[in-house]
Amino acid sequence: MHIGQAAAKEGESQMIVMMGNNLSLTSIILNGDPSIEHKGKLPCLDEQVKISQFYHCEGLLLRILKDDSRFVVCNPYLEQTRWIEPRYSHRPHGWDRFSYALGYVNTDSCRYYKLLGLIDYYYNAHEKQFFWYEIYDFDSDLWTTLDVTPHWRIAFCNRGVSLKGSTYWCAAERNVDVDEVLADRLICFDFTSERFGPLLPLPFSGGHIDCMTLSCVREEKLAVLLQHDESNPYELDLWITTKIETGEVLWSKFLRVATAGFNSYVPFISESFFIDEEKKVAFGFDGRNRERVIVIGEAGYLRGLDLVGDFGDQECRTDLCSYVPSLVQIKQPEGGESKQQSDLEKCRYDENMLRLVSL
């Protein structure tokens, strides 16, 4: 595909698209009438391997496979891969109930990558709660159970977004009923300290029927999209961060799309999105047509771009993110005798498994 040889054209945004259990590289050009071009499937894996989820971290991809319990971390630009064995894959009815995040620790000489896996099962504030947080270290090639007692809850549908090595989620206070608030806060996991930070404010109060999605802006800022149907059907609001630190976040309104102005079509962005801050537009899959990407902007700007290419089974999940090639090398496990889990870690794992089975 020659990902690294083609310099981005003026007004062009590259993105990774997941359709039909495959990942592909696609570009959108916004100069004049917008256009979309399917570049081809991403390398690194055999074409027969099917993807069920993927997570992006500054040019690296964590791929969750549909028919294989293992994970694959890859750099499509360098065509490097690393296979990771999970300790346990919880997939009732074929769906993986773990959520994942890929992040890193920065040092003067290099980056050390880690993988976070979590289950946060929340029925209500008084019963049927289960959470399990564990982290995989690329250097030690071991999983470790994190000692976490969450005062927050992260809904399974709220995907994390990587920014500068940490991962952020939309979340809510744990004692707030899920039927009232799905998410109205922001929370960060720091891979250096292996700890969650405090709950930070989102620029709105999201209700149970609202859709909230996070995205990353040029690996520098966070963006959040709110879609709700209370005062105005499927009204869309987007904000970006002007400051984000451990204990403070500030937001600025980026775009508002009042869909009452559209006569016959009301845009709804499904799953992920990303924005072009300079052009002041947002991209996302059309929630009513999985083979179309919609572009929304100011003053009622709306364009639909049909994807062309062999994407396989269209009934599968769709997803996308912006993409910039990376020169980061993926460290491979060291040869020789493999390291063993400690007795304490084995005990923690067994306890979690017993709780999970009983639930």
Side-chain angles (χ1 to χ4, degrees):
M1 283 206 325
H2 312 296
I3 294 175
Q5 294 180 5
K9 303 173 185 176
E10 184 180 355
E12 180 183 28
S13 296
Q14 288 190 335
M15 62 183 182
I16 292 175
V17 171
M18 176 176 163
M19 289 184 69
N21 296 124
N22 293 304
L23 295 182
S24 302
L25 186 68
T26 302
S27 67
I28 294 179
I29 301 175
L30 292 176
N31 287 342
D33 290 332
S35 61
I36 191 166
E37 180 183 357
H38 174 62
K39 303 277 190 178
K41 294 180 181 179
L42 289 177
C44 295
L45 294 178
D46 187 278
E47 288 192 4
Q48 303 303 316
V49 176
K50 295 183 178 181
I51 312 296
S52 64
Q53 302 177 58
F54 81 95
Y55 299 83
H56 177 244
C57 178
E58 297 186 19
L60 268 60
L61 301 177
L62 167 64
R63 304 185 186 197
I64 311 301
L65 307 183
K66 182 178 180 181
D67 302 318
D68 195 320
S69 62
R70 295 175 298 171
F71 313 130
V72 183
V73 176
C74 66
N75 184 332
Y77 175 50
L78 299 180
E79 297 193 34
Q80 293 181 340
T81 61
R82 174 162 174 170
W83 291 81
I84 299 173
E85 292 277 356
R87 293 196 292 185
Y88 174 68
S89 181
H90 183 50
R91 295 187 175 186
H93 311 295
W95 289 95
D96 191 342
R97 295 300 298 175
F98 272 96
S99 296
Y100 301 96
L102 183 63
Y104 58 81
V105 178
N106 255 332
T107 68
D108 293 336
S109 58
C110 63
R111 290 178 177 177
Y112 295 95
Y113 280 85
K114 299 179 182 181
L115 168 62
L116 175 71
L118 67 96
I119 293 179
D120 192 337
Y121 179 84
Y122 182 94
Y123 183 74
N124 60 42
H126 305 291
E127 62 178 342
K128 290 187 180 179
Q129 294 192 41
F130 174 80
F131 48 86
W132 183 356
Y133 293 78
E134 60 179 8
I135 197 162
Y136 173 81
D137 189 300
F138 280 57
D139 278 8
S140 67
D141 194 24
L142 291 175
W143 289 91
T144 304
T145 301
L146 296 181
D147 186 13
V148 173
T149 304
H151 56 85
W152 63 89
R153 53 178 166 81
I154 300 172
F156 178 71
C157 59
N158 287 340
R159 291 166 53 85
V161 170
S162 174
L163 178 66
K164 299 180 181 179
S166 298
T167 299
Y168 294 81
W169 289 266
C170 291
E173 292 184 1
R174 198 160 194 87
N175 59 358
V176 177
D177 197 308
V178 70
D179 290 330
E180 297 177 5
V181 177
L182 184 63
D184 61 353
R185 305 290 182 89
L186 183 73
I187 197 164
C188 171
F189 182 78
D190 185 327
F191 281 88
T192 301
S193 64
E194 298 187 355
R195 291 290 182 269
F196 284 87
L199 286 168
L200 300 171
L202 287 172
F204 53 79
S205 179
H208 177 69
I209 58 176
D210 294 333
C211 295
M212 290 147 286
T213 312
L214 287 175
S215 185
C216 185
V217 184
R218 299 196 313 271
E219 312 294 350
E220 298 172 358
K221 307 174 185 178
L222 285 180
V224 62
L225 166 66
L226 171 68
Q227 300 177 102
H228 59 91
D229 58 358
E230 293 176 355
S231 61
N232 187 12
Y234 297 119
E235 193 172 59
L236 284 78
D237 289 320
L238 293 104
W239 290 263
I240 59 175
T241 55
T242 56
K243 179 181 182 181
I244 184 163
E245 296 179 354
T246 302
E248 183 180 13
V249 60
L250 299 177
W251 299 89
S252 173
K253 177 66 73 69
F254 173 73
L255 184 63
R256 183 184 184 96
V257 181
T259 57
F262 296 104
N263 294 324
S264 59
Y265 177 81
V266 178
F268 182 82
I269 292 179
S270 173
E271 303 291 349
S272 305
F273 76 99
F274 73 96
I275 68 175
D276 186 317
E277 194 173 8
E278 181 181 345
K279 301 286 186 181
K280 201 134 187 178
V281 295
F283 311 88
F285 268 109
D286 187 338
R288 296 167 182 80
N289 183 346
R290 291 190 175 194
E291 297 181 30
R292 176 179 295 172
V293 171
I294 56 175
V295 186
I296 58 174
E298 295 180 301
Y301 182 87
L302 173 65
R303 295 292 185 275
L305 304 175
D306 292 328
L307 289 163
V308 178
D310 179 15
F311 292 100
D313 182 6
Q314 301 305 309
E315 295 302 316
C316 300
R317 177 177 180 167
T318 58
D319 204 352
L320 59 79
C321 70
S322 62
Y323 177 70
V324 177
S326 170
L327 291 172
V328 170
Q329 302 277 338
I330 298 178
K331 183 175 181 179
Q332 298 299 323
E334 295 180 0
E337 187 175 347
S338 61
K339 298 180 181 179
Q340 299 296 317
Q341 301 281 0
S342 67
D343 291 339
L344 175 60
E345 184 54 40
K346 290 178 181 178
C347 181
R348 286 177 170 176
Y349 174 80
D350 291 340
E351 288 177 355
N352 276 327
M353 283 299 301
L354 288 173
R355 292 172 58 213
L356 184 61
V357 169
S358 108
L359 180 68

